Amino acid sequence: FPYTTLFRSRYETNRLVVGIKHANQRIYETAQRNDDQHGMGTTIVAALFADDRVIVAHVGDSRCYRLRRQQLIQLTEDHSLLNDYMKMKRLSGEDGARFTQKNVIVRALGMKESVQVDTMVDLPQIDDVYLLCSDGLSGMVTDPQIADILRSESDLDNGCERLIRAANDAGGTDNITAILCRIERL
């Protein structure tokens, strides 16, 4: 890649990270000042579409997925106790389904004075669809179900509605957020 493009990608990545770290600081300070809000926190996933790239930043278990040529992949890695156990090979996929502490996150905004933000850069292709979602969606709807909905729905607004409805139909036990973006020709 040309030097200016790489420099711009680093600049844009830094903008996302600084913004998220600033949000963390504000949440942390608010929680420290107010007893009613002590211990509050949140997760985040953000994407910046710039210079023929998608820059993704996240903290926690909110996720970014990409659907390309009918194949869904998770671009982010959950900052959760379950994921840590699975990476250490202490749990198999079957054990993970029965894991009682699925919702324990090991990194979130507001937990500490500073936070580590994970980033990645993706090179999008025409017709790629990106899904940014909270664990209220991904915790209730399986990846194959998400893929089926995205494959069968070309309208992004309808796709979001169907994803949210699927999460609610599965119990809807948490806040549900879904954002869909498609890469199109200008």
Side-chain angles (χ1 to χ4, degrees):
F1 300 110
Y3 175 75
T4 55
T5 302
L6 286 175
F7 178 77
R8 183 139 170 87
S9 287
R10 286 188 193 122
Y11 171 77
E12 300 296 355
T13 300
N14 191 49
R15 283 180 58 202
L16 272 175
V17 170
V18 168
I20 291 170
K21 286 183 176 219
H22 179 69
N24 177 73
Q25 186 68 34
R26 296 282 308 267
I27 294 166
Y28 179 80
E29 288 171 357
T30 300
Q32 296 305 304
R33 280 192 311 266
N34 303 313
D35 288 340
D36 291 344
Q37 295 169 325
H38 186 73
M40 75 173 173
T42 190
T43 64
I44 187 170
V45 62
L48 178 63
F49 295 79
D51 294 328
D52 299 325
R53 287 173 176 61
V54 178
I55 303 164
V56 178
H58 86 290
V59 177
D61 57 0
S62 290
R63 295 180 177 178
C64 179
Y65 291 91
R66 183 192 65 214
L67 182 72
R68 174 179 289 164
R69 292 189 287 282
Q70 306 301 312
Q71 297 297 316
L72 184 73
I73 65 162
Q74 181 181 333
L75 297 177
T76 54
E77 184 176 293
D78 294 350
H79 302 136
S80 67
L81 191 59
L82 172 61
N83 191 51
D84 285 356
Y85 272 76
M86 299 208 44
K87 284 192 314 188
M88 292 185 301
K89 308 229 185 288
R90 291 190 178 176
L91 290 177
S92 66
E94 292 175 8
D95 293 333
R98 293 187 301 269
F99 191 64
T100 58
Q101 298 173 332
K102 285 182 193 175
N103 294 333
V104 175
I105 53 177
V106 295
R107 197 184 318 166
L109 299 186
M111 288 175 71
K112 296 180 181 176
E113 193 169 0
S114 64
V115 69
Q116 179 183 341
V117 180
D118 284 359
T119 63
M120 59 92 52
V121 177
D122 194 48
L123 300 174
Q125 297 178 7
I126 299 299
D127 294 326
D128 281 355
V129 174
Y130 290 86
L131 167 64
L132 305 174
C133 67
S134 65
D135 68 314
L137 175 67
S138 60
M140 303 303 295
V141 182
T142 67
D143 287 4
Q145 291 171 310
I146 291 171
D148 287 344
I149 291 169
L150 295 180
R151 287 184 197 121
S152 67
E153 186 59 68
S154 62
D155 182 274
L156 299 181
D157 289 335
N158 289 342
C160 281
E161 289 177 15
R162 287 183 59 196
L163 289 167
I164 291 168
R165 186 172 37 250
N168 279 321
D169 289 348
T173 59
D174 202 348
N175 296 324
I176 305 164
T177 303
I179 299 170
L180 289 172
C181 308
R182 180 182 302 113
I183 304 299
E184 297 180 344
R185 291 190 195 282
L186 293 177

